[in-house]
PDB file of all heavy atoms in Angstrom:
ATOM      1  N   LYS Q   1      53.142   2.981 -29.287  1.00  0.00           N
ATOM      2  CA  LYS Q   1      51.727   3.572 -29.187  1.00  0.00           C
ATOM      3  C   LYS Q   1      50.709   2.677 -29.970  1.00  0.00           C
ATOM      4  O   LYS Q   1      49.530   2.939 -29.698  1.00  0.00           O
ATOM      5  CB  LYS Q   1      51.677   4.981 -29.577  1.00  0.00           C
ATOM      6  CG  LYS Q   1      52.589   5.957 -28.864  1.00  0.00           C
ATOM      7  CD  LYS Q   1      52.500   7.362 -29.409  1.00  0.00           C
ATOM      8  CE  LYS Q   1      53.375   8.330 -28.566  1.00  0.00           C
ATOM      9  NZ  LYS Q   1      52.907   8.407 -27.232  1.00  0.00           N
ATOM     10  N   THR Q   2      51.164   1.889 -30.901  1.00  0.00           N
ATOM     11  CA  THR Q   2      50.222   1.207 -31.724  1.00  0.00           C
ATOM     12  C   THR Q   2      50.527  -0.219 -31.834  1.00  0.00           C
ATOM     13  O   THR Q   2      51.621  -0.732 -31.432  1.00  0.00           O
ATOM     14  CB  THR Q   2      50.176   1.817 -33.153  1.00  0.00           C
ATOM     15  OG1 THR Q   2      51.364   1.448 -33.867  1.00  0.00           O
ATOM     16  CG2 THR Q   2      50.034   3.324 -33.188  1.00  0.00           C
ATOM     17  N   VAL Q   3      49.628  -0.950 -32.433  1.00  0.00           N
ATOM     18  CA  VAL Q   3      49.808  -2.400 -32.697  1.00  0.00           C
ATOM     19  C   VAL Q   3      48.985  -2.777 -33.951  1.00  0.00           C
ATOM     20  O   VAL Q   3      48.032  -2.043 -34.257  1.00  0.00           O
ATOM     21  CB  VAL Q   3      49.300  -3.164 -31.498  1.00  0.00           C
ATOM     22  CG1 VAL Q   3      47.723  -3.039 -31.380  1.00  0.00           C
ATOM     23  CG2 VAL Q   3      49.616  -4.635 -31.560  1.00  0.00           C
ATOM     24  N   ILE Q   4      49.379  -3.826 -34.599  1.00  0.00           N
ATOM     25  CA  ILE Q   4      48.624  -4.426 -35.584  1.00  0.00           C
ATOM     26  C   ILE Q   4      48.123  -5.721 -35.115  1.00  0.00           C
ATOM     27  O   ILE Q   4      48.861  -6.835 -35.118  1.00  0.00           O
ATOM     28  CB  ILE Q   4      49.409  -4.552 -36.897  1.00  0.00           C
ATOM     29  CG1 ILE Q   4      49.893  -3.177 -37.403  1.00  0.00           C
ATOM     30  CG2 ILE Q   4      48.610  -5.296 -38.054  1.00  0.00           C
ATOM     31  CD1 ILE Q   4      50.832  -3.215 -38.556  1.00  0.00           C
ATOM     32  N   ASP Q   5      46.928  -5.773 -34.605  1.00  0.00           N
ATOM     33  CA  ASP Q   5      46.389  -6.911 -33.795  1.00  0.00           C
ATOM     34  C   ASP Q   5      45.542  -7.724 -34.683  1.00  0.00           C
ATOM     35  O   ASP Q   5      44.379  -7.300 -35.057  1.00  0.00           O
ATOM     36  CB  ASP Q   5      45.599  -6.381 -32.639  1.00  0.00           C
ATOM     37  CG  ASP Q   5      45.302  -7.605 -31.616  1.00  0.00           C
ATOM     38  OD1 ASP Q   5      45.783  -8.606 -31.758  1.00  0.00           O
ATOM     39  OD2 ASP Q   5      44.412  -7.283 -30.767  1.00  0.00           O
ATOM     40  N   LEU Q   6      45.931  -8.899 -35.012  1.00  0.00           N
ATOM     41  CA  LEU Q   6      45.181  -9.825 -36.029  1.00  0.00           C
ATOM     42  C   LEU Q   6      44.330 -10.822 -35.209  1.00  0.00           C
ATOM     43  O   LEU Q   6      44.653 -11.190 -34.002  1.00  0.00           O
ATOM     44  CB  LEU Q   6      46.174 -10.633 -36.877  1.00  0.00           C
ATOM     45  CG  LEU Q   6      47.039  -9.855 -37.769  1.00  0.00           C
ATOM     46  CD1 LEU Q   6      48.223 -10.550 -38.159  1.00  0.00           C
ATOM     47  CD2 LEU Q   6      46.234  -9.295 -38.928  1.00  0.00           C
ATOM     48  N   PRO Q   7      43.188 -11.148 -35.655  1.00  0.00           N
ATOM     49  CA  PRO Q   7      42.367 -12.124 -35.007  1.00  0.00           C
ATOM     50  C   PRO Q   7      43.057 -13.485 -34.977  1.00  0.00           C
ATOM     51  O   PRO Q   7      43.674 -13.904 -35.992  1.00  0.00           O
ATOM     52  CB  PRO Q   7      41.117 -12.175 -35.864  1.00  0.00           C
ATOM     53  CG  PRO Q   7      41.453 -11.701 -37.227  1.00  0.00           C
ATOM     54  CD  PRO Q   7      42.536 -10.694 -36.970  1.00  0.00           C
ATOM     55  N   GLN Q   8      42.841 -14.244 -33.865  1.00  0.00           N
ATOM     56  CA  GLN Q   8      43.472 -15.482 -33.704  1.00  0.00           C
ATOM     57  C   GLN Q   8      42.710 -16.547 -34.418  1.00  0.00           C
ATOM     58  O   GLN Q   8      41.450 -16.589 -34.368  1.00  0.00           O
ATOM     59  CB  GLN Q   8      43.606 -15.913 -32.269  1.00  0.00           C
ATOM     60  CG  GLN Q   8      44.262 -17.264 -32.014  1.00  0.00           C
ATOM     61  CD  GLN Q   8      44.288 -17.574 -30.472  1.00  0.00           C
ATOM     62  OE1 GLN Q   8      43.828 -16.763 -29.620  1.00  0.00           O
ATOM     63  NE2 GLN Q   8      44.587 -18.766 -30.169  1.00  0.00           N
ATOM     64  N   VAL Q   9      43.389 -17.446 -35.160  1.00  0.00           N
ATOM     65  CA  VAL Q   9      42.746 -18.564 -35.807  1.00  0.00           C
ATOM     66  C   VAL Q   9      42.624 -19.782 -34.905  1.00  0.00           C
ATOM     67  O   VAL Q   9      43.703 -20.216 -34.400  1.00  0.00           O
ATOM     68  CB  VAL Q   9      43.493 -18.952 -37.149  1.00  0.00           C
ATOM     69  CG1 VAL Q   9      42.801 -20.123 -37.813  1.00  0.00           C
ATOM     70  CG2 VAL Q   9      43.643 -17.754 -38.106  1.00  0.00           C
ATOM     71  N   LEU Q  10      41.395 -20.203 -34.601  1.00  0.00           N
ATOM     72  CA  LEU Q  10      41.338 -21.369 -33.719  1.00  0.00           C
ATOM     73  C   LEU Q  10      41.386 -22.659 -34.414  1.00  0.00           C
ATOM     74  O   LEU Q  10      41.879 -23.734 -33.862  1.00  0.00           O
ATOM     75  CB  LEU Q  10      40.023 -21.265 -33.030  1.00  0.00           C
ATOM     76  CG  LEU Q  10      39.748 -20.015 -32.037  1.00  0.00           C
ATOM     77  CD1 LEU Q  10      38.354 -19.933 -31.564  1.00  0.00           C
ATOM     78  CD2 LEU Q  10      40.860 -19.972 -30.984  1.00  0.00           C
ATOM     79  N   SER Q  11      40.943 -22.712 -35.760  1.00  0.00           N
ATOM     80  CA  SER Q  11      40.927 -23.891 -36.434  1.00  0.00           C
ATOM     81  C   SER Q  11      40.767 -23.662 -37.949  1.00  0.00           C
ATOM     82  O   SER Q  11      40.348 -22.606 -38.383  1.00  0.00           O
ATOM     83  CB  SER Q  11      39.827 -24.874 -36.032  1.00  0.00           C
ATOM     84  OG  SER Q  11      38.625 -24.347 -36.357  1.00  0.00           O
ATOM     85  N   GLN Q  12      41.230 -24.618 -38.720  1.00  0.00           N
ATOM     86  CA  GLN Q  12      41.058 -24.639 -40.164  1.00  0.00           C
ATOM     87  C   GLN Q  12      40.526 -25.996 -40.607  1.00  0.00           C
ATOM     88  O   GLN Q  12      41.039 -27.014 -40.082  1.00  0.00           O
ATOM     89  CB  GLN Q  12      42.389 -24.296 -40.937  1.00  0.00           C
ATOM     90  CG  GLN Q  12      42.306 -24.426 -42.422  1.00  0.00           C
ATOM     91  CD  GLN Q  12      43.616 -24.107 -43.108  1.00  0.00           C
ATOM     92  OE1 GLN Q  12      44.323 -23.168 -42.710  1.00  0.00           O
ATOM     93  NE2 GLN Q  12      43.856 -24.807 -44.174  1.00  0.00           N
ATOM     94  N   HIS Q  13      39.492 -25.999 -41.473  1.00  0.00           N
ATOM     95  CA  HIS Q  13      38.901 -27.172 -42.009  1.00  0.00           C
ATOM     96  C   HIS Q  13      38.998 -27.097 -43.554  1.00  0.00           C
ATOM     97  O   HIS Q  13      38.697 -26.161 -44.165  1.00  0.00           O
ATOM     98  CB  HIS Q  13      37.539 -27.338 -41.493  1.00  0.00           C
ATOM     99  CG  HIS Q  13      37.413 -27.577 -40.036  1.00  0.00           C
ATOM    100  ND1 HIS Q  13      37.614 -28.817 -39.419  1.00  0.00           N
ATOM    101  CD2 HIS Q  13      37.065 -26.720 -39.067  1.00  0.00           C
ATOM    102  CE1 HIS Q  13      37.482 -28.586 -38.048  1.00  0.00           C
ATOM    103  NE2 HIS Q  13      37.162 -27.369 -37.912  1.00  0.00           N
ATOM    104  N   ASP Q  14      39.514 -28.238 -44.120  1.00  0.00           N
ATOM    105  CA  ASP Q  14      39.635 -28.304 -45.592  1.00  0.00           C
ATOM    106  C   ASP Q  14      38.587 -29.273 -46.133  1.00  0.00           C
ATOM    107  O   ASP Q  14      38.575 -30.427 -45.800  1.00  0.00           O
ATOM    108  CB  ASP Q  14      41.061 -28.734 -46.052  1.00  0.00           C
ATOM    109  CG  ASP Q  14      42.125 -27.696 -45.571  1.00  0.00           C
ATOM    110  OD1 ASP Q  14      42.403 -27.729 -44.359  1.00  0.00           O
ATOM    111  OD2 ASP Q  14      42.516 -26.941 -46.208  1.00  0.00           O
ATOM    112  N   SER Q  15      37.868 -28.730 -47.142  1.00  0.00           N
ATOM    113  CA  SER Q  15      36.861 -29.641 -47.823  1.00  0.00           C
ATOM    114  C   SER Q  15      37.561 -30.407 -48.964  1.00  0.00           C
ATOM    115  O   SER Q  15      38.507 -30.024 -49.463  1.00  0.00           O
ATOM    116  CB  SER Q  15      35.741 -28.706 -48.353  1.00  0.00           C
ATOM    117  OG  SER Q  15      34.812 -29.475 -49.199  1.00  0.00           O
ATOM    118  N   ALA Q  16      36.829 -31.533 -49.282  1.00  0.00           N
ATOM    119  CA  ALA Q  16      37.324 -32.245 -50.407  1.00  0.00           C
ATOM    120  C   ALA Q  16      37.266 -31.575 -51.723  1.00  0.00           C
ATOM    121  O   ALA Q  16      37.933 -31.853 -52.641  1.00  0.00           O
ATOM    122  CB  ALA Q  16      36.538 -33.599 -50.575  1.00  0.00           C
ATOM    123  N   ASP Q  17      36.406 -30.509 -51.790  1.00  0.00           N
ATOM    124  CA  ASP Q  17      36.262 -29.748 -53.045  1.00  0.00           C
ATOM    125  C   ASP Q  17      37.170 -28.557 -53.105  1.00  0.00           C
ATOM    126  O   ASP Q  17      37.125 -27.706 -54.036  1.00  0.00           O
ATOM    127  CB  ASP Q  17      34.764 -29.367 -53.333  1.00  0.00           C
ATOM    128  CG  ASP Q  17      34.313 -28.315 -52.241  1.00  0.00           C
ATOM    129  OD1 ASP Q  17      35.083 -27.715 -51.523  1.00  0.00           O
ATOM    130  OD2 ASP Q  17      33.000 -28.250 -52.125  1.00  0.00           O
ATOM    131  N   GLY Q  18      38.060 -28.408 -52.107  1.00  0.00           N
ATOM    132  CA  GLY Q  18      39.064 -27.300 -52.208  1.00  0.00           C
ATOM    133  C   GLY Q  18      38.576 -26.142 -51.285  1.00  0.00           C
ATOM    134  O   GLY Q  18      39.378 -25.141 -50.932  1.00  0.00           O
ATOM    135  N   THR Q  19      37.379 -26.128 -50.748  1.00  0.00           N
ATOM    136  CA  THR Q  19      36.978 -25.068 -49.860  1.00  0.00           C
ATOM    137  C   THR Q  19      37.637 -25.114 -48.580  1.00  0.00           C
ATOM    138  O   THR Q  19      37.908 -26.196 -48.075  1.00  0.00           O
ATOM    139  CB  THR Q  19      35.407 -25.207 -49.676  1.00  0.00           C
ATOM    140  OG1 THR Q  19      34.749 -25.112 -50.954  1.00  0.00           O
ATOM    141  CG2 THR Q  19      34.919 -24.060 -48.750  1.00  0.00           C
ATOM    142  N   ILE Q  20      37.975 -23.934 -47.987  1.00  0.00           N
ATOM    143  CA  ILE Q  20      38.575 -23.820 -46.631  1.00  0.00           C
ATOM    144  C   ILE Q  20      37.768 -23.083 -45.725  1.00  0.00           C
ATOM    145  O   ILE Q  20      37.259 -22.016 -46.148  1.00  0.00           O
ATOM    146  CB  ILE Q  20      40.105 -23.243 -46.875  1.00  0.00           C
ATOM    147  CG1 ILE Q  20      40.858 -24.102 -47.833  1.00  0.00           C
ATOM    148  CG2 ILE Q  20      40.711 -23.129 -45.468  1.00  0.00           C
ATOM    149  CD1 ILE Q  20      42.177 -23.341 -48.161  1.00  0.00           C
ATOM    150  N   LYS Q  21      37.638 -23.473 -44.493  1.00  0.00           N
ATOM    151  CA  LYS Q  21      36.866 -22.713 -43.445  1.00  0.00           C
ATOM    152  C   LYS Q  21      37.814 -22.506 -42.374  1.00  0.00           C
ATOM    153  O   LYS Q  21      38.380 -23.375 -41.792  1.00  0.00           O
ATOM    154  CB  LYS Q  21      35.640 -23.462 -43.075  1.00  0.00           C
ATOM    155  CG  LYS Q  21      34.828 -22.696 -41.967  1.00  0.00           C
ATOM    156  CD  LYS Q  21      33.542 -23.403 -41.676  1.00  0.00           C
ATOM    157  CE  LYS Q  21      33.778 -24.687 -40.747  1.00  0.00           C
ATOM    158  NZ  LYS Q  21      32.449 -25.227 -40.295  1.00  0.00           N
ATOM    159  N   TRP Q  22      37.897 -21.234 -41.872  1.00  0.00           N
ATOM    160  CA  TRP Q  22      38.577 -20.810 -40.686  1.00  0.00           C
ATOM    161  C   TRP Q  22      37.664 -20.441 -39.617  1.00  0.00           C
ATOM    162  O   TRP Q  22      36.676 -19.752 -39.864  1.00  0.00           O
ATOM    163  CB  TRP Q  22      39.574 -19.677 -40.997  1.00  0.00           C
ATOM    164  CG  TRP Q  22      40.630 -20.035 -41.943  1.00  0.00           C
ATOM    165  CD1 TRP Q  22      41.794 -20.777 -41.669  1.00  0.00           C
ATOM    166  CD2 TRP Q  22      40.780 -19.635 -43.219  1.00  0.00           C
ATOM    167  NE1 TRP Q  22      42.556 -20.843 -42.808  1.00  0.00           N
ATOM    168  CE2 TRP Q  22      41.957 -20.153 -43.757  1.00  0.00           C
ATOM    169  CE3 TRP Q  22      40.004 -18.854 -44.204  1.00  0.00           C
ATOM    170  CZ2 TRP Q  22      42.356 -19.859 -45.117  1.00  0.00           C
ATOM    171  CZ3 TRP Q  22      40.362 -18.693 -45.493  1.00  0.00           C
ATOM    172  CH2 TRP Q  22      41.577 -19.224 -45.934  1.00  0.00           C
ATOM    173  N   LEU Q  23      38.005 -20.780 -38.379  1.00  0.00           N
ATOM    174  CA  LEU Q  23      37.343 -20.291 -37.186  1.00  0.00           C
ATOM    175  C   LEU Q  23      38.250 -19.284 -36.447  1.00  0.00           C
ATOM    176  O   LEU Q  23      39.349 -19.580 -36.104  1.00  0.00           O
ATOM    177  CB  LEU Q  23      37.032 -21.563 -36.239  1.00  0.00           C
ATOM    178  CG  LEU Q  23      36.113 -21.187 -35.070  1.00  0.00           C
ATOM    179  CD1 LEU Q  23      34.727 -20.806 -35.512  1.00  0.00           C
ATOM    180  CD2 LEU Q  23      36.093 -22.289 -34.121  1.00  0.00           C
ATOM    181  N   PHE Q  24      37.665 -18.073 -36.378  1.00  0.00           N
ATOM    182  CA  PHE Q  24      38.347 -16.946 -35.726  1.00  0.00           C
ATOM    183  C   PHE Q  24      37.908 -16.671 -34.331  1.00  0.00           C
ATOM    184  O   PHE Q  24      36.724 -16.544 -34.108  1.00  0.00           O
ATOM    185  CB  PHE Q  24      38.333 -15.682 -36.624  1.00  0.00           C
ATOM    186  CG  PHE Q  24      38.988 -15.702 -37.991  1.00  0.00           C
ATOM    187  CD1 PHE Q  24      38.316 -16.098 -39.004  1.00  0.00           C
ATOM    188  CD2 PHE Q  24      40.345 -15.466 -38.105  1.00  0.00           C
ATOM    189  CE1 PHE Q  24      38.927 -16.244 -40.300  1.00  0.00           C
ATOM    190  CE2 PHE Q  24      40.966 -15.561 -39.360  1.00  0.00           C
ATOM    191  CZ  PHE Q  24      40.275 -15.854 -40.438  1.00  0.00           C
ATOM    192  N   GLU Q  25      38.810 -16.505 -33.428  1.00  0.00           N
ATOM    193  CA  GLU Q  25      38.454 -16.209 -32.013  1.00  0.00           C
ATOM    194  C   GLU Q  25      37.909 -14.772 -31.918  1.00  0.00           C
ATOM    195  O   GLU Q  25      38.586 -13.893 -32.570  1.00  0.00           O
ATOM    196  CB  GLU Q  25      39.667 -16.377 -31.118  1.00  0.00           C
ATOM    197  CG  GLU Q  25      39.378 -16.377 -29.612  1.00  0.00           C
ATOM    198  CD  GLU Q  25      39.450 -14.886 -29.140  1.00  0.00           C
ATOM    199  OE1 GLU Q  25      40.130 -14.035 -29.589  1.00  0.00           O
ATOM    200  OE2 GLU Q  25      38.793 -14.619 -28.129  1.00  0.00           O
ATOM    201  N   SER Q  26      36.909 -14.531 -31.213  1.00  0.00           N
ATOM    202  CA  SER Q  26      36.382 -13.115 -31.142  1.00  0.00           C
ATOM    203  C   SER Q  26      36.077 -12.761 -29.664  1.00  0.00           C
ATOM    204  O   SER Q  26      35.351 -11.814 -29.441  1.00  0.00           O
ATOM    205  CB  SER Q  26      35.109 -12.992 -31.974  1.00  0.00           C
ATOM    206  OG  SER Q  26      34.140 -13.896 -31.711  1.00  0.00           O
ATOM    207  N   GLY Q  27      36.816 -13.437 -28.763  1.00  0.00           N
ATOM    208  CA  GLY Q  27      36.725 -12.961 -27.375  1.00  0.00           C
ATOM    209  C   GLY Q  27      35.661 -13.532 -26.434  1.00  0.00           C
ATOM    210  O   GLY Q  27      34.519 -13.883 -27.097  1.00  0.00           O
ATOM    211  N   PHE Q  28      35.973 -13.883 -25.210  1.00  0.00           N
ATOM    212  CA  PHE Q  28      34.988 -14.307 -24.298  1.00  0.00           C
ATOM    213  C   PHE Q  28      34.234 -15.508 -24.727  1.00  0.00           C
ATOM    214  O   PHE Q  28      33.031 -15.731 -24.648  1.00  0.00           O
ATOM    215  CB  PHE Q  28      33.951 -13.200 -23.864  1.00  0.00           C
ATOM    216  CG  PHE Q  28      34.562 -11.929 -23.481  1.00  0.00           C
ATOM    217  CD1 PHE Q  28      34.729 -10.857 -24.331  1.00  0.00           C
ATOM    218  CD2 PHE Q  28      35.047 -11.793 -22.162  1.00  0.00           C
ATOM    219  CE1 PHE Q  28      35.391  -9.685 -23.962  1.00  0.00           C
ATOM    220  CE2 PHE Q  28      35.653 -10.633 -21.802  1.00  0.00           C
ATOM    221  CZ  PHE Q  28      35.838  -9.576 -22.624  1.00  0.00           C
ATOM    222  N   GLY Q  29      34.971 -16.485 -25.359  1.00  0.00           N
ATOM    223  CA  GLY Q  29      34.416 -17.734 -25.759  1.00  0.00           C
ATOM    224  C   GLY Q  29      33.660 -17.704 -27.084  1.00  0.00           C
ATOM    225  O   GLY Q  29      33.012 -18.678 -27.416  1.00  0.00           O
ATOM    226  N   GLN Q  30      33.676 -16.579 -27.734  1.00  0.00           N
ATOM    227  CA  GLN Q  30      32.995 -16.505 -29.024  1.00  0.00           C
ATOM    228  C   GLN Q  30      33.950 -16.776 -30.213  1.00  0.00           C
ATOM    229  O   GLN Q  30      35.178 -16.627 -30.122  1.00  0.00           O
ATOM    230  CB  GLN Q  30      32.338 -15.025 -29.228  1.00  0.00           C
ATOM    231  CG  GLN Q  30      31.828 -14.430 -27.964  1.00  0.00           C
ATOM    232  CD  GLN Q  30      30.552 -15.062 -27.502  1.00  0.00           C
ATOM    233  OE1 GLN Q  30      29.753 -15.565 -28.302  1.00  0.00           O
ATOM    234  NE2 GLN Q  30      30.400 -15.221 -26.220  1.00  0.00           N
ATOM    235  N   ALA Q  31      33.295 -17.111 -31.322  1.00  0.00           N
ATOM    236  CA  ALA Q  31      34.173 -17.301 -32.488  1.00  0.00           C
ATOM    237  C   ALA Q  31      33.269 -17.229 -33.787  1.00  0.00           C
ATOM    238  O   ALA Q  31      32.031 -17.327 -33.690  1.00  0.00           O
ATOM    239  CB  ALA Q  31      34.749 -18.757 -32.548  1.00  0.00           C
TER     240      ALA Q  31
END
């Protein structure tokens, strides 16, 4: 009856200073 549905990660970018950015899919071509 249930699910634990996590957002899909489309990409990860790593900065030279250690910062990390993720792009999450949010449906219908949005992110």
Side-chain angles (χ1 to χ4, degrees):
K1 298 179 181 296
T2 72
V3 67
I4 297 170
D5 190 13
L6 299 162
Q8 179 184 354
V9 180
L10 299 178
S11 65
Q12 174 179 321
H13 297 278
D14 298 80
S15 169
D17 65 18
T19 299
I20 303 172
K21 180 174 74 172
W22 293 286
L23 184 69
F24 292 93
E25 192 272 337
S26 54
F28 303 101
Q30 319 293 322

